[in-house]
């Protein structure tokens, strides 16, 4: 499945505002975002966060990918990172966390399978 | 001229073959023995162009399968133009594109055929008519393969039905699966488990979900996987069932007697307390109803019905903050229903009322009930699944800790502070407002980071507890935190 197809499928999940795939160098590989959201800067920040997590928390245990949930006053940002890419999803503040978590994991698996 | 007949004389399968062979265009309506329409199939040149079931329309289907949410549905319905079909309005809303819409319509049409082919009584009527559907959404399904699949399903369904317990049987969740809400289940399985959990009999389950192939197959697979089992006839169960029956009939005296007996006989099921609570609520005895719901909540802390009604009782008794807490937990449960929308409105009003009460305290506060950091961390560590916690400041300095001593504590504190800084920046860039909390989930363990100004609270937990419940529990504890007075 291509990055565009995965992002499109994620976009149909209730409560999802946008999603994007970022390379580990911080470059945007694919995005489904509204034009007012600054892609490049956000991608770079998320990539640094993933690096920070890997360097610190990641040392504790290797293997499973770490899922990060950030809850803001007006919306949420969830992302999951592998060695080669990061999948991030933006949601409404009250989006159903269970459904979005499932979408994130499922989308990430598809992306990794697509890369193989 | 219309083609009319009895299904007992000519089966639906034969009619489908006839219409396919003669390449007819028109509408086939099937009615049951009470002359109620059960389903409709549109034909275009002998192929199936559209299908619709009376028992479950497209809207209900999309809601049940979580493809759209109730709020989105209301919005679509509100924006529908006169004479416009729901499918067109849905397409216009851009929640789905043409390809997805055709996929849904195909599944719906297939299920309609499978259902209609299973009808053994009733009548059919075929009329040649121009089809009232959007050409972009018109299907072109061949009937032969669908008829073969339908026969296979009917055979399988008959076999499954023979294996399933009688319709008055009540099922229960097997102990390892009582926390099913934390798993990723198919929507059909989740709805069925929720009904099992409510103590509904198979007859009642069929009434809600329809006595069809899908329901029977889901039931069979859950029974085979030992997720559910036939409920053991526990002592007091008879009283529970009869009590509930009287409750529904409005015979409160008899119901109360039987339900109390069921509880006394040690029915360790939340249902007895839930029904008793319902009965007391109808009698407007809020204090006693509250006690029953609290007991039911201890048995099943994530039951939506219990949480919703408990909130109502607290509100009626004037205990607004407890009501808010119950409703907040209810809102966090992962399901979609109209009650959730109602509760959201009530919750909003209750929060405003609570704020008003807090701001208009008629006498000056003389005693603070706030807790210091040490007490708060102790409270947190008492929660299920918590491995340790600490409070740090923005620079990563440890202010208080309740975590086993280790040289990694300071390293973790520094990481938490710098990570939160990056997280805050990301959310602001995305116009998502100030960061309230963050969770790092490694699958086996989690780190929760809460911004409770001026502190950052770091909590290390296992992952066996539902994430949303865990977060709301912590948030409730933080509300009691004593903050330094800022000069």
């Amino acid at each position: 499945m291509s990055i565009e197809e995965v992002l499109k499928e994620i976009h149909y999940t209730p409560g999802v505002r946008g999603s994007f795939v970022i390379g580990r160098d911080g470059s945007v590989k694919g995005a489904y975002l509204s034009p007012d959201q600054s892609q490049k800067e956000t991608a770079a920040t998320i990539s640094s966060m993933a690096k920070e997590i890997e360097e610190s928390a990641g040392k504790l245990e290797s293997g499973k990918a770490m899922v990060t949930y950030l809850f803001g006053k007006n919306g949420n940002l969830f992302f999951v990172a592998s060695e080669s890419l990061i999948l991030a999803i933006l949601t409404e503040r009250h989006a159903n966390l269970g459904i979005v978590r499932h979408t994130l994991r499922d989308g990430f698996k598809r992306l990794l399978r697509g890369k193989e | 001229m219309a083609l009319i007949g009895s299904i007992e004389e000519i089966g639906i399968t034969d009619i489908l073959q006839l219409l396919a062979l003669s390449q007819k265009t028109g509408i086939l309506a099937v009615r049951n023995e009470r002359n109620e329409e059960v389903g409709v199939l549109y034909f275009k040149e002998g192929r199936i162009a559209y299908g619709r079931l009376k028992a479950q329309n497209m809207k209900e289907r999309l809601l049940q399968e979580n493809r759209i949410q109730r709020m989105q549905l209301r919005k679509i319905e509100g924006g529908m133009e006169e004479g416009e079909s729901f499918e067109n309005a849905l397409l216009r809303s851009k929640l789905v594109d043409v390809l997805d819409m055709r996929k849904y319509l195909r599944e719906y049409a297939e299920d309609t055929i499978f259902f209609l082919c299973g009808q053994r009584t009733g009548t059919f009527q075929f009329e040649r008519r121009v089809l009232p559907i959007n050409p972009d959404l018109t299907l072109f399904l061949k009937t032969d393969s669908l008829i073969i699949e339908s026969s296979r399903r009917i055979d399988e369904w008959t076999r499954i039905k023979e294996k399933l317990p009688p319709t008055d049987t009540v099922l229960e969740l097997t102990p390892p699966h009582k926390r099913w809400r934390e798993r990723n289940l198919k929507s059909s399985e989740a709805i069925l488990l929720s009904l099992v959990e409510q103590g509904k009999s198979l007859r009642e389950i069929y009434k809600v979900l329809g006595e069809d192939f899908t329901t029977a197959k889901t039931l069979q697979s859950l029974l085979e996987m030992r997720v559910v089992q036939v409920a053991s006839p526990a002592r007091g169960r008879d009283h529970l069932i009869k009590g509930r029956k009287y409750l529904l009939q409005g015979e409160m005296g008899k119901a109360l007697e039987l339900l109390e007996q069921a509880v006394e006989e040690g029915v360790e099921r939340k249902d007895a307390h839930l029904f008793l609570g319902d009965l007391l609520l109808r009698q407007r005895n809020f204090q006693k109803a509250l006690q029953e719901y609290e007991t039911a909540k201890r048995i099943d802390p994530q039951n939506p019905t219990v949480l919703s009604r408990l909130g109502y009782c607290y509100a009626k008794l004037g205990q607004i903050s407890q009501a808010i807490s119950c409703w907040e937990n209810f809102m966090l449960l992962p399901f979609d229903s109209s009650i959730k929308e109602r509760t959201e409105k009530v919750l909003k009003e209750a929060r405003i009322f609570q704020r008003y009460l807090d701001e208009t305290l008629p006498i000056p506060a003389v005693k603070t009930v706030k807790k210091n950091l040490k007490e708060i961390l102790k409270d947190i560590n008492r929660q299920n699944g918590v491995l340790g916690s600490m409070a740090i400041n923005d620079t990563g300095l440890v202010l208080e800790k309740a975590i086993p001593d280790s040289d990694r504590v300071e390293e973790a504190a520094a990481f938490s502070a710098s990570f939160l800084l990056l997280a805050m920046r990301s959310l602001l860039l995305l116009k998502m407002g100030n960061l309230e909390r963050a969770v790092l989930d490694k699958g086996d363990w989690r780190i929760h980071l809460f911004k409770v100004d001026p502190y950052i609270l770091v909590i290390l937990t296992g992952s066996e507890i539902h994430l949303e419940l865990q977060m709301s529990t912590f948030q409730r504890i933080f509300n009691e935190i004593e903050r330094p007075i800022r000069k």
Side-chain angles (χ1 to χ4, degrees):
Chain A
M1 210 174 208
S2 71
I3 290 179
E4 284 70 30
E5 283 171 315
V6 173
L7 292 181
K8 192 180 155 205
E9 231 170 65
I10 291 172
H11 196 65
Y12 288 136
T13 309
V16 168
R17 275 196 212 164
S19 55
F20 47 116
V21 176
I22 308 163
R24 288 316 299 257
D25 55 351
S27 60
V28 181
K29 304 265 179 201
Y32 224 106
L33 286 177
S34 67
D36 62 326
Q37 283 161 332
S38 64
Q39 291 182 16
K40 280 186 189 164
E41 245 180 306
T42 316
T45 320
I46 292 177
S47 161
S48 327
M49 255 192 291
K51 207 169 161 194
E52 178 107 0
I53 294 168
E54 247 165 42
E55 282 173 3
S56 307
K59 278 186 213 158
L60 299 170
E61 195 184 317
S62 57
K64 288 177 193 167
M66 173 90 80
V67 187
T68 305
Y69 305 93
L70 307 180
F71 299 88
K73 209 161 186 149
N74 308 323
N76 310 324
L77 166 66
F78 303 154
F79 65 88
V80 56
S82 77
E83 282 166 8
S84 53
L85 47 86
I86 300 165
L87 171 64
I89 296 185
L90 315 177
T91 76
E92 305 288 341
R93 183 181 159 92
H94 293 297
N96 187 318
L97 184 53
I99 294 174
V100 180
R101 276 169 81 188
H102 173 75
T103 309
L104 183 68
R105 286 199 199 120
D106 199 49
F108 191 60
K109 266 189 222 158
R110 280 168 204 234
L111 277 178
L112 294 183
R113 242 183 273 141
K115 267 191 80 71
E116 278 164 14
Chain B
M1 200 180 119
L3 174 67
I4 303 170
S6 154
I7 295 173
E8 280 149 318
E9 309 240 338
I10 312 173
I12 294 295
T13 317
D14 298 329
I15 293 295
L16 294 184
Q17 279 170 334
L18 178 72
L19 296 172
L21 270 176
S22 50
Q23 299 190 346
K24 292 286 181 202
T25 297
I27 298 176
L28 175 74
V30 178
R31 293 173 178 276
N32 61 16
E33 60 272 35
R34 293 186 298 279
N35 204 27
E36 296 158 345
E37 189 182 282
V38 288
V40 169
L41 285 172
Y42 292 8
F43 284 82
K44 191 178 177 196
E45 293 155 17
R47 293 204 179 189
I48 287 150
Y50 179 78
R52 169 165 49 85
L53 277 173
K54 183 78 183 169
Q56 190 194 39
N57 64 31
M58 188 70 169
K59 295 174 204 172
E60 287 161 0
R61 202 179 159 93
L62 293 172
L63 277 176
Q64 214 175 66
E65 291 173 7
N66 255 330
R67 283 171 169 166
I68 56 169
Q69 286 193 332
R70 208 168 282 274
M71 291 281 271
Q72 293 171 324
L73 175 65
R74 294 247 166 95
K75 211 170 159 189
I76 296 166
E77 285 178 327
M80 269 169 81
E81 288 161 11
E82 209 181 320
E84 187 183 26
S85 70
F86 171 70
E87 286 84 357
N88 268 345
L90 183 59
L91 260 188
R92 212 161 36 76
S93 73
K94 295 199 173 139
L95 277 172
V96 294
D97 61 17
V98 177
L99 281 179
D100 285 338
M101 194 68 217
R102 286 180 68 88
K103 190 178 134 211
Y104 300 160
L105 286 169
R106 188 193 168 95
E107 289 169 5
Y108 192 29
E110 285 174 353
D111 284 349
T112 307
I113 295 164
F114 300 144
F115 179 80
L116 295 181
C117 285
Q119 296 297 299
R120 293 287 168 261
T121 55
T123 56
F124 63 85
Q125 178 171 349
F126 178 79
E127 269 185 287
R128 287 179 67 175
R129 264 168 56 184
V130 179
L131 304 180
I133 41 175
N134 180 344
D136 284 344
L137 300 178
T138 306
L139 305 168
F140 206 53
L141 306 178
K142 278 176 94 173
T143 45
D144 327 4
S145 51
L146 289 170
I147 289 172
I148 296 168
E149 173 62 11
S150 155
S151 311
R152 190 197 64 76
R153 278 197 186 204
I154 290 167
D155 288 345
E156 196 183 342
W157 187 8
T158 316
R159 275 201 304 277
I160 293 172
K161 271 211 276 194
E162 281 167 9
K163 283 187 199 162
L164 287 177
T167 50
D168 55 353
T169 308
V170 175
L171 299 176
E172 64 182 8
L173 290 158
T174 51
H177 296 281
K178 291 214 163 147
R179 289 148 65 125
W180 61 271
R181 282 197 184 86
E182 290 163 23
R183 298 176 182 212
N184 290 324
L185 293 169
K186 283 187 216 157
S187 164
S188 56
E189 289 173 338
I191 295 167
L192 208 146
L193 288 184
S194 153
L195 293 170
V196 167
E197 208 176 37
Q198 287 168 33
K200 302 246 189 262
S201 67
L202 283 188
R203 186 178 292 114
E204 290 169 309
I205 290 176
Y206 291 146
K207 215 169 161 184
V208 177
L209 299 176
E211 191 175 0
D212 57 15
F213 174 75
T214 318
T215 312
K217 186 135 176 119
T218 312
L219 261 174
Q220 188 210 20
S221 78
L222 291 174
L223 278 162
E224 276 179 1
M225 290 188 298
R226 298 192 181 283
V227 177
V228 295
Q229 62 190 13
V230 174
S232 51
R235 273 180 76 216
R237 185 158 185 86
D238 274 358
H239 290 136
L240 177 69
I241 294 167
K242 280 182 193 159
R244 186 177 170 223
K245 202 171 138 194
Y246 283 126
L247 175 66
L248 295 173
Q249 288 167 357
E251 292 189 46
M252 299 301 177
K254 282 183 187 170
L256 182 64
E257 198 182 309
L258 286 162
L259 289 172
E260 278 179 345
Q261 225 168 321
V263 172
E264 268 174 34
E265 281 164 350
V267 179
E268 271 301 304
R269 291 169 59 85
K270 63 157 195 319
D271 294 356
H273 297 284
L274 175 61
F275 299 152
L276 207 47
D278 286 355
L279 188 148
L280 293 159
L281 194 62
R282 281 187 196 192
Q283 292 176 336
R284 307 185 73 75
N285 189 341
F286 303 115
Q287 188 64 52
K288 280 196 170 172
L290 186 135
Q291 286 166 10
E292 294 303 332
Y293 290 137
E294 276 291 3
T295 314
K297 190 183 151 201
R298 273 198 292 280
I299 300 169
D300 182 4
Q302 290 186 40
N303 187 287
T305 316
V306 173
L307 285 175
S308 155
R309 290 181 190 165
L310 196 54
Y312 182 80
C313 286
Y314 274 123
K316 286 300 278 187
L317 291 166
Q319 298 176 37
I320 308 298
S321 56
Q322 280 94 332
I324 291 175
S325 157
C326 290
W327 287 330
E328 279 175 344
N329 283 341
F330 169 82
M331 292 301 293
L332 289 171
L333 295 175
F335 71 96
D336 182 38
S337 85
S338 57
I339 307 169
K340 228 172 180 178
E341 268 177 61
R342 272 207 309 275
T343 307
E344 196 172 5
K345 280 182 198 158
V346 177
L347 183 58
K348 201 173 155 193
E349 296 296 324
R351 281 183 184 138
I352 294 170
F353 183 53
Q354 178 68 24
R355 214 165 34 242
Y356 171 77
L357 288 179
D358 288 346
E359 285 163 7
T360 55
L361 191 70
I363 50 164
V366 287
K367 190 186 167 190
T368 172
V369 287
K370 298 284 184 190
K371 294 178 179 175
N372 64 29
L373 268 181
K374 207 171 196 151
E375 288 167 319
I376 289 286
L377 294 185
K378 257 190 201 167
D379 282 354
I380 290 169
N381 281 15
R382 266 188 228 118
Q383 303 305 312
N384 278 344
V386 174
L387 306 170
S389 57
M390 63 177 161
I392 61 173
N393 68 7
D394 289 343
T395 60
L397 184 73
V398 180
L399 302 171
E400 193 66 61
K401 62 182 178 189
I403 199 163
D405 262 331
S406 141
D407 52 355
R408 304 292 300 273
V409 170
E410 280 176 10
E411 195 183 320
F415 158 71
S416 302
S418 66
F419 170 76
L420 271 195
L421 210 64
L422 281 169
M424 273 154 52
R425 186 177 142 75
S426 274
L427 288 191
L428 289 174
L429 276 173
L430 289 163
K431 301 185 175 64
M432 288 186 154
N434 287 332
L435 177 84
E436 291 180 343
R437 54 186 188 266
V439 181
L440 303 174
D441 189 345
K442 187 75 182 171
D444 303 328
W445 51 264
R446 294 177 189 142
I447 300 176
H448 294 255
L449 301 167
F450 283 82
K451 280 277 297 167
V452 186
D453 196 35
Y455 311 116
I456 297 168
L457 286 136
V458 185
I459 306 163
L460 183 64
T461 73
S463 60
E464 62 278 13
I465 309 279
H466 197 288
L467 178 61
E468 286 161 299
L469 275 184
Q470 218 171 30
M471 289 192 303
S472 75
T473 309
F474 295 150
Q475 192 66 58
R476 217 170 32 251
I477 295 173
F478 299 152
N479 289 341
E480 295 173 0
I481 204 164
E482 185 182 54
R483 293 162 205 256
I485 297 162
R486 289 195 170 185
K487 288 182 183 168

